[in-house]
Structures are given as C-alpha cells and as structure tokens.
C-alpha cells in the first residue's frame, strides 16, 4: 500500500528515481518503527514541524543499494529529500499522524555512521579536504576550543496575507534549515508568494529555535600553541571550524577526541567588520567519541609473562599490585626505591584507563556507588601528589610514567596556559573557550611538575578546579544568560577529565612556609589544596641513613646503565615487567570495570566514620577531608582492576585505606591506626614488602582495622563482624 502511494508521488515528481525510493523505503522500514515514532511525536509538545532522527549505516546501505549509498555521500540533500518523502508517505498511508498535512512539516535528520575508508580524511591535509567539498567525509581529531552556544532558526512558517490565495494555506510555506544555510536564508522579510506575488508574513509563534555552537578541531599530534597572550582574538593554524547543532552541541567537550562525520561547506559569517563574508566550515552530522586507551600491541590477550606473575602472586590479594609497582620504571630508579610512589602512579594509570570506558554495572551496583560518592560519574583518574625533600627523581619518575598513558600532557608554565582562555573567534565573531593544559588530556593525565614554583593565585585556582571537578570560563553576560548559566555568575564550566600529577618541595622553599604538626614542611600548599588529591605520598622515610642508601642505589643504577650498552644489568631479575608489559596490563585492567560489593562499601564507610570521630577530637591534628570516601573508593576500585578482579572486595578496601592513611601521615604526621609509611626498601627485604610476610602484615592490619571500626564507628557497618 505504501509502495503504491510512493509510486503515485513519483509520477508527479519525476526528479526522483522510483528504485531509490523503494530501496530507501525498505531500509527505513527495517530501522524505524513508524508506530512507535508516531506515539513519541504525539507525546511531545504540539508543533507545526515534526522532527525524526534516522540512524543510517552507510556501509550497510551501500551493500544494499550502491546508488543510494553513493547518493548519501555525494548529494546529501537529495538523499535527505528521498527519506523525507518515504517517511511522509508512510505516515500518511498508515494514518499515524493526523496533524501531518504537507511534506515540509516533516524534518528528517539522517545520522550517518560507518563511513567508507576512502571518505575518512586526515585533518591536517587541507587540500584533500577541499577537494571533497559538499561530500560527506569523516574527520578524526581533538576538540581544542568550543564557542558559547547560541540559537539558530530550525524551522519557520510563512503565510500569504491574501485570504483567497492558495498561499494562505498554513502548511504551504514552511521553511526548514538545511546544511550550510545562513540565518538570512532561513528567515527574512521579503519572501514572495508564488501565486499572487504578495510578501509573505511570518507566523512568529511557529518559529522553532535550537542550539548551535562552533568548535575548533585539531589533529591529536599537533603541538598546541600558547594561549596566555590571546585575550581578545585567536587564530589557530591547522584547525578546522566545525558547526554543531541541536543534540550534537552537548555531545562534545573541550579536550575530547572524537570522529566527526559531516560536510565541508561555505557559510556566511559576521567578522570583525560590519560586512558579512564567506567562511569555509565543516557542518557536523554525527559525533562519535574515541576511547583514548588502545592496546599498544597487536595481541589483545594477556601475555604469558603477566599470567605467570599473576599465578606466582596467587597466595596474597596484595602481592600482585606490589610486585608490578616493583617493576615500574626500573630504568629511571632501581626497584624498591620510591616504591609507594610507584604504586600510587600505577593505580592512577589504571583509573585513568578505567575512566575512558563507559559504566556497564547493574542498577544495584550503581545505587551502591551513588550512595558513597558516585564513582561511576567520575570522569578522571586519581590525583597524585608527591612530597619530597629531593624532587629530582620523583619529577623524572612522574614524567616518565605519564608516557605509559595513552593520553598525557606535560604543562609548561612559560608556554602553556593551565586553565584555558576566553577569546574571540575572528571567523565567526563568537566567544571561544580555548583549552588549557588541564582540559587537553581528556580521559588521560596532566603532569604539572613542581607545585612549589607556582604562584599563590594559580594554586588557589587549581584548588577550585579540583574541588569543582571543572574549569570555569568567564564569558560576557549576554552569552552566559543565553546559555542558561546566569546562576553561575557568568561562568561556563567545562568538566575536568584528567588525572593530575605533581610534586612539591618538602624543604619549605616557599616564601611563607608553614610547618604543620608533621615531619614535613608543606611550603606554600594549603590544606584545602592537599585534601583534593586522592593519594599523597611522602617519599622521605624520616631516616637519614635510609635516604642516603636510596640515593646511593639510584646513583649506582645510573652508573651501571651508562656503562652498559643495553639494559642487561636488569636481566638478573626475571620477574620484572617492561614498559610494554605494563601498558598491556593497564589496558586490560582499565577494561575490567570492577563492581563494588557491600562488604567493601561498609568497611570504607565505617573507617571514615571512625576516623572522623577520632580526628574531630583534636588529638590527631586535623579533620578528615570531605572527599575521603570517594578517594578511598576510587583507590579500591583501581586496586581491584589492577588485580584483574571483577569485584571490589574487602581486601581492596583494606589496601585503599592503608594508602589513604599513609597520605594523612604524609601531610599531617599522625595516624589513627598507627600507620608508618616506608617509601623505600632493599632487595634483602623483598619478602617483607612483596612476599608472605607482607601478606601476613596486611592481614594483621585488616584485623586491626576491623577492630578500630567496630569500636569507634558507632555501630556503622557492624553487620560485617556480627557472629
């Protein structure tokens, strides 16, 4: 019945091929439920224009009909008209939308995916992109800047003022926005009636507005220029301006890596002068986020070296992460030196890889996570701060290990802006929010270096960013009001999506060094800033002999490496993992997504309640940080993922509590459970820190922890130990 109706329409409109319409009808009926779509449109607010989004797999369509697939890529507007006619005829024939009177009332949006490889172009080849003008292509890159969203006209209705004229029909003149059209082409005041010649009058109440914004897409391997001096205008070379409309506006964020399907078009824009000029832009049709962490080698399975090490550490739930940390960055500093810092770095790498994947937990699991801190909504890895009297080796260690992440960025105070900048786009005249060092490595890591060298106002802004988990951009008042951020005091917030690594000088080199009740001088760092880091590691053991021994081992390793032509000096330790093995492990650990159990939740929550009660008495120097529960939960989840487990157990929670309590000792020198951190150890003490003695010590600490929670948590989590 629908085919007959389409055939009748084709007899009138000879420009369309019946074969293409038949193939489009077959594909549409296969991928679109017209009855369900009509019910959804009926539930929406009454509107003159009905909008339908049809997801279209180009490769599948090309296999079904080569002509129709090629038409979608080369003449997208004509293909859209074909699918619009198919949908309109189907709704009319099946009598599903009584309010549908004319074809112009139906706005069909084709969301394209699976573009052929010949249409996937490199973003830095401008000549190749220009040769595909008006064709559908796919670009892959990173969002460097994003404009403040504004409004554009999605559809408008006009009527002829002459009542007797056929143009007075309310559904005769409905204008829909098409790709590349300017605002003046969609609405203006001198449209003429094709029947009588009168000027048409717009029905203002029927105008439909929607969101629009511009982004600048750059290649992922392009070195981003400094933005510190770009206060009023900005021009970024080797960048492509992309227009996002409707639901695509919220689909990307600054720093995100994505694939964008669309067309290269010319659009009239208002520049610095009063006269409009043509600018070449890229009209986005679909946006597909890219998972940052990809396997660096061809074999996706866990290799034998990691499997054998995992089996050798099966005697203890804590041995495997400690052994992998023992292997980390063996060429930078010897195994055993800065071991706790290496463990913190390893957990942060795993959590950063884990944040790049979507949450697929059950509803009960998500309720558990929401109850204690909503770690499923956390978009970045663990923040790590190292405090040391000698910042040379910790700085090199962090800089080296950051390369193990698929996305990392090393901030330079001279050439880079940390928080980003607000500037004016010279092409479109809009306000651009440009990415800084904290936004560029989305779903990755940002290494800030030595915090003791930062200015006080910069540290204050960094504290606010870590507290809000977002970077605030000041914008003009009219833009802030249009984007709905009036309540945020004319600021637009972009989410923080990277883990932050940095170190601080513990010798008190700051101008106003304040010594807390601890063995370390935290220099100019405030307590509020330190509390925003998930893991704080004190790399000073407190013993001069131990520090001298660790420095001697570092020097010895450097001399052996410089005198040797290869890394053969490390071959005697057969169970050491190299960088490729550790990257392989991080990839699989990040894809694990362990689920939170009730036992681990109760243990973390009980410890928080007990510690807060003990520290609030004033005997231990400071209160518990407000983010303590979330930090310990994320550390436990990273520990479970590193162990390649599918659940976060009480053993993972015990390791997380130990690391967090060591961080409290590093900052404030006191512990409620008598924890004493040991940043270094010798090869003679492997069994104490990696072997069975380490397992026995952790079991003893777990028993002590349960007793501490049962006594001081006021009944919180008592179900764990009721017998």
């Amino acid at each position: 019945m629908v085919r007959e109706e389409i055939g009748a329409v084709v007899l009138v409109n000879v420009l369309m091929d019946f074969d293409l319409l038949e193939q489009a009808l077959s594909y549409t009926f296969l991928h679109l439920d017209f009855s369900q779509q009509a019910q959804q449109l009926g539930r929406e607010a009454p509107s003159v224009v009905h909008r339908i989004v049809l997801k279209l797999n180009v490769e599948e369509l090309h296999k079904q009909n080569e002509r129709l697939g090629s038409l979608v890529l080369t003449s997208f507007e004509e293909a859209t008209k074909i699918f619009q006619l198919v949908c309109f005829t189907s709704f009319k024939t099946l009598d599903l939308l009584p309010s549908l009177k004319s074809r112009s009332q139906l706005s069909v949006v084709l969301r394209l995916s699976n573009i052929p490889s010949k249409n996937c172009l490199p973003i830095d080849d401008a000549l190749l992109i220009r040769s595909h003008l008006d064709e559908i292509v796919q670009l892959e890159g990173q969002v460097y800047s994003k404009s403040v969203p504004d409004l554009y006209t999605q559809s408008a209705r006009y009527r002829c003022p002459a009542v007797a004229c056929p143009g007075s029909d309310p559904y005769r003149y409905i204008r829909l926005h098409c790709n590349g059209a300017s605002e003046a082409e969609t609405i203006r005041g001198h449209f003429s009636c094709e029947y009588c010649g009168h000027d048409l009058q717009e029905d203002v109440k029927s105008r439909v507005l929607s969101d629009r914004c511009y982004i600048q897409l750059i290649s992922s391997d392009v070195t981003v220029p400094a933005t510190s001096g770009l206060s009023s205008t900005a021009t970024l070379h080797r960048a492509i301006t992309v227009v996002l409309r409707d639901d695509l506006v919220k689909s990307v964020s600054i720093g995100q890596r994505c694939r964008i399907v669309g067309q290269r078009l010319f659009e009239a824009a208002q520049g610095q002068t009063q006269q409009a000029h043509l600018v070449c832009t890229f009209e986005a049709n679909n946006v597909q986020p890219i998972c940052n962490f990809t396997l660096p080698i061809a074999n996706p399975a866990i290799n034998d070296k990691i499997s054998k090490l995992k089996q050798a550490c099966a005697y203890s739930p804590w041995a495997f992460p400690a052994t992998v940390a023992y292997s980390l960055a063996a060429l930078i500093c010897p195994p055993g030196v800065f071991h706790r810092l290496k463990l913190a770095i390893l957990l942060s790498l795993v959590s950063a890889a884990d944040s790049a994947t979507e949450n697929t937990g059950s509803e009960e699991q998500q309720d558990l996570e929401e109850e204690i801190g909503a770690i499923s909504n956390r978009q970045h890895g663990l923040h790590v701060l190292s405090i040391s009297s000698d910042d040379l080796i910790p700085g090199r260690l962090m800089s080296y290990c950051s390369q193990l992440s698929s996305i990392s960025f090393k901030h330079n105070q001279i050439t880079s802006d940390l928080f980003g900048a607000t500037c004016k786009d010279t092409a479109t005249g809009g306000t651009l929010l440009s990415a800084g060092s904290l936004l560029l490595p989305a779903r990755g890591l940002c290494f800030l270096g030595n915090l003791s060298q930062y200015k006080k106002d910069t540290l204050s802004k960094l504290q606010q960013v870590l507290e809000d988990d977002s970077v605030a951009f000041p914008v003009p008042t009219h833009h802030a009001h249009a984007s709905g951020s009036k309540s945020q005091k004319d600021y637009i917030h972009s989410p923080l999506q990277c883990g932050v690594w940095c170190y601080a000088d513990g010798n008190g080199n700051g101008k106003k060094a304040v010594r807390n009740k601890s063995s370390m001088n935290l220099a100019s760092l405030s307590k509020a800033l330190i509390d925003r880091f998930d893991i704080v590691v004190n790399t000073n053991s407190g013993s001069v002999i131990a520090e001298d021994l660790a420095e001697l081992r570092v020097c010895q390793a450097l001399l052996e490496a410089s005198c040797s032509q290869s890394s053969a000096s490390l071959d005697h330790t057969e169970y050491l993992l190299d960088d490729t093995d550790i990257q392989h492990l991080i990839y699989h650990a990040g894809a694990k997504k362990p689920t939170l159990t009730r036992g681990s939740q109760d243990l973390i929550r009980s410890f928080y309640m007990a510690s807060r009660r003990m520290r609030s008495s004033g005997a231990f120097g400071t209160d518990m940080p407000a983010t303590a529960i979330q930090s310990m939960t994320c550390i436990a989840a990273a520990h479970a993922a590193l162990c390649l487990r599918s659940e976060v157990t009480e053993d993972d929670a015990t390791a997380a509590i130990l690391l967090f309590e060591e961080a409290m000792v590093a900052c404030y020198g006191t512990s409620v459970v008598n924890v004493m951190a040991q940043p270094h150890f010798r090869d003679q003490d492997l069994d104490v820190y990696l072997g069975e003695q380490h397992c026995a010590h952790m079991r003893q600490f777990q028993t002590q922890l349960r007793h501490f929670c049962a006594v001081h948590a006021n009944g919180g989590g008592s179900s764990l130990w009721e017998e």
Side-chain angles (χ1 to χ4, degrees), residues 185 318 345 441 601:
E185 292 176 315
W318 303 283
I345 288 175
Q601 176 202 14

Side-chain angles (χ1 to χ4, degrees), residues 354-375:
D354 178 51
S355 66
T357 59
E358 295 182 358
N359 183 30
T360 57
S362 62
E363 294 183 0
E364 181 182 359
Q365 163 66 17
Q366 294 179 12
D367 292 339
L368 283 176
E369 294 175 349
E370 291 175 0
E371 185 178 351
I372 66 169
I375 63 172

Side-chain angles (χ1 to χ4, degrees), residues 154-198:
Q154 192 179 76
S155 64
R157 179 166 67 172
Y158 289 83
R159 298 179 64 177
C160 180
V163 180
C165 179
S168 61
D169 184 358
Y171 304 104
R172 180 65 183 86
Y173 296 109
I174 297 179
R175 300 187 61 81
L176 303 178
H177 173 81
C178 60
N179 289 344
S182 63
E183 192 73 5
E185 292 176 315
T186 305
I187 55 171
R188 63 174 184 261
H190 55 276
F191 288 123
S192 300
C193 178
E194 62 183 10
Y195 297 100
C196 63
H198 283 84

Side-chain angles (χ1 to χ4, degrees), residues 293 328 349 400-406 579-580 582-583 586:
F293 209 98
L328 183 64
L349 287 170
Y400 178 82
C401 292
S402 64
Q403 302 175 12
L404 297 178
S405 174
S406 61
D579 293 343
T580 303
I582 293 179
Q583 267 190 312
I586 292 172

Side-chain angles (χ1 to χ4, degrees), residues 492-603:
I492 290 182
H493 294 260
S494 183
L496 179 67
Q497 301 184 69
C498 69
V500 177
W501 290 3
C502 52
Y503 57 91
D505 189 0
N507 287 328
N509 293 333
K511 296 181 180 179
K512 295 182 179 179
V514 180
R515 183 172 296 276
N516 298 295
K517 296 180 180 180
S518 65
S519 59
M520 290 297 300
N521 190 339
L522 299 182
S524 58
L525 303 186
S526 63
K527 177 183 180 299
L529 175 59
I530 296 174
D531 288 345
R532 293 299 163 183
F533 287 90
D534 300 299
I535 305 179
V536 182
V537 181
N538 181 3
T539 58
N540 289 341
S541 60
S543 172
V544 179
I545 298 178
E547 291 298 320
D548 292 342
L549 181 60
E551 185 176 355
L552 180 62
R553 293 182 61 193
V554 172
C555 296
Q556 182 180 357
L558 291 176
L559 289 175
E560 291 179 355
S562 61
C563 296
S564 177
Q565 296 181 356
S566 63
S567 57
S569 57
L570 299 175
D571 291 344
H572 66 280
T573 315
E574 297 180 356
Y575 50 84
L576 282 179
L577 301 179
D578 56 19
D579 293 343
T580 303
D581 296 330
I582 293 179
Q583 267 190 312
H584 196 104
L585 176 62
I586 292 172
Y587 169 81
H588 286 280
K592 265 296 178 183
K593 272 295 189 183
T595 57
L596 196 64
T597 60
R598 179 65 65 177
S600 59
Q601 176 202 14
D602 289 342
L603 184 59

Side-chain angles (χ1 to χ4, degrees), residues 252-329:
V252 299
S253 57
I254 300 177
Q256 182 181 1
R257 284 161 171 80
C258 56
R259 298 183 183 94
I260 297 183
V261 179
Q263 290 176 280
R264 185 76 167 174
L265 301 169
F266 286 101
E267 180 182 3
Q270 192 74 24
Q272 294 179 342
T273 62
Q274 296 298 325
Q275 297 180 355
H277 61 279
L278 290 178
V279 293
C280 198
T281 59
F282 190 83
E283 187 85 19
N285 174 270
N286 199 4
V287 177
Q288 302 170 353
I290 298 177
C291 179
N292 288 342
F293 209 98
T294 56
L295 194 61
I297 56 180
N299 187 11
I302 298 179
N303 57 33
D304 295 338
K305 197 172 184 180
I306 298 177
S307 300
K308 291 180 180 179
L309 181 61
K310 188 74 170 61
Q311 294 176 1
C313 298
Y315 61 89
S316 171
W318 303 283
F320 184 69
T323 306
V324 177
Y326 181 79
S327 307
L328 183 64

Side-chain angles (χ1 to χ4, degrees), residues 239-259:
I240 290 183
T241 301
V242 180
V243 185
L244 302 178
R245 301 182 190 272
D246 307 325
D247 55 316
L248 298 182
V249 172
K250 298 181 180 180
S251 62
V252 299
S253 57
I254 300 177
Q256 182 181 1
R257 284 161 171 80
C258 56
R259 298 183 183 94

